[in-house]
Amino acid sequence: MGLSDRESTRPTALGVDAEALPPEETATATFGMGCFWGPDARFGAMPGVVRTRVGYAGGSDPDPSYYALGDHTEVIQVEYDPAERAYEDLLGVFWANHSPFSAPHKRQYRGVVLAHDDAQREAAAASKTALEERTGKTVQTPVETLARFHRAEEYHQKYELRSTPVVADELEDVYGPAFVESTVAARLNGFVAGHGDADQRRELLAELDLSPAALSEVRRRI
Ligand code: MHO
């Protein structure tokens, strides 16, 4: 890739993110739903989701890491635009994308809602009851309150995108440490995992000045 390709990427990718809703205006949700790589991509592609990150929560160990998880669980944290998305929409994705009726074999991968406030706790409990009534089965997934979110190691963040080396290298180069918190990175992470629809992909890719090599790598994966 030539220097001019890199330079042309820089302003545009960051420019798209500059228009994303700032953190003070987003709402945040946290869920455990198995290995966190998958839901990071799934939620990242969802319109109205602004930022995603993966981490460890739901336990009491003060300093968890991937190889010393203690009593924590892998979780996905989703920042969303409350004007565009209801917490209930996220709950719908949550219930449909883990196994709520079977007890987890490992605490690391348990399904859990980690509510940020009373409203989330009530909405989650109501959706759990509704699922039980609809199916006649007992839901094993608990609704708990988030005490603290511990961000996971960088190599677990936007994992699908990192497995797309040309693109990830180029974007990490553009963003530096802001890569993980980028809306563009969240969307592309979802797209390369097969999420998002054709219009959504076309629209975002048209706004980005990815190098031809990176662009063809994204297209190859979707
Ligand atoms: N070890 C599993 C899941 C990784 S996830 C970050 C795998 O290789 O797919 O726990």
Side-chain angles (χ1 to χ4, degrees):
M1 184 176 65
L3 190 60
S4 58
D5 290 327
R6 259 170 218 256
E7 279 172 351
S8 69
T9 302
R10 194 159 286 129
T12 316
L14 294 173
V16 173
D17 278 317
E19 282 166 30
L21 206 61
E24 318 83 73
E25 291 173 37
T26 57
T28 307
T30 304
F31 304 111
M33 43 198 299
C35 174
F36 50 26
W37 297 336
D40 192 12
R42 184 179 295 282
F43 281 114
M46 196 174 170
V49 167
V50 183
R51 281 171 281 274
T52 67
R53 60 196 74 89
V54 297
Y56 314 115
S60 58
D61 193 293
D63 189 23
S65 62
Y66 186 65
Y67 291 106
L69 210 52
D71 52 357
H72 288 285
T73 295
E74 291 190 17
V75 299
I76 169 72
Q77 189 158 79
V78 181
E79 255 187 67
Y80 62 101
D81 177 355
E84 212 186 315
R85 277 292 162 199
Y87 182 61
E88 282 76 3
D89 298 338
L90 305 181
L91 285 170
V93 173
F94 167 72
W95 291 116
N97 291 284
H98 73 286
S99 307
F101 306 116
S102 46
H105 46 283
K106 256 179 128 180
R107 191 171 165 92
Q108 178 176 5
Y109 297 122
R110 74 189 172 119
V112 61
V113 174
L114 290 168
H116 287 238
D117 55 29
D118 289 345
Q120 284 193 0
R121 199 164 31 250
E122 282 158 27
S127 70
K128 175 172 168 167
T129 305
L131 180 60
E132 290 185 323
E133 284 171 0
R134 200 161 65 240
T135 58
K137 295 195 224 168
T138 303
V139 168
Q140 306 287 339
T141 300
V143 175
E144 299 175 1
T145 300
L146 178 70
R148 194 177 151 202
F149 172 83
H150 305 264
R151 188 176 158 118
E153 296 82 352
E154 291 299 290
Y155 72 95
H156 284 302
Q157 309 286 344
K158 309 284 175 295
Y159 187 84
E160 294 286 348
L161 190 55
R162 283 182 204 273
S163 319
T164 316
V166 184
V167 192
D169 292 351
E170 193 166 305
L171 288 173
E172 283 197 88
D173 202 32
V174 172
Y175 284 101
F179 171 71
V180 176
E181 298 290 316
S182 150
T183 308
V184 168
R187 293 283 186 276
L188 292 177
N189 186 46
F191 294 169
V192 297
H195 304 296
D197 64 35
D199 286 347
Q200 203 194 337
R201 292 178 197 143
R202 198 175 320 115
E203 210 177 290
L204 181 67
L205 292 180
E207 279 185 275
L208 301 179
D209 266 339
L210 286 178
S211 70
L215 208 51
S216 79
E217 197 50 25
V218 173
R219 296 222 161 91
R220 189 184 65 77
R221 288 206 64 194
I222 59 185

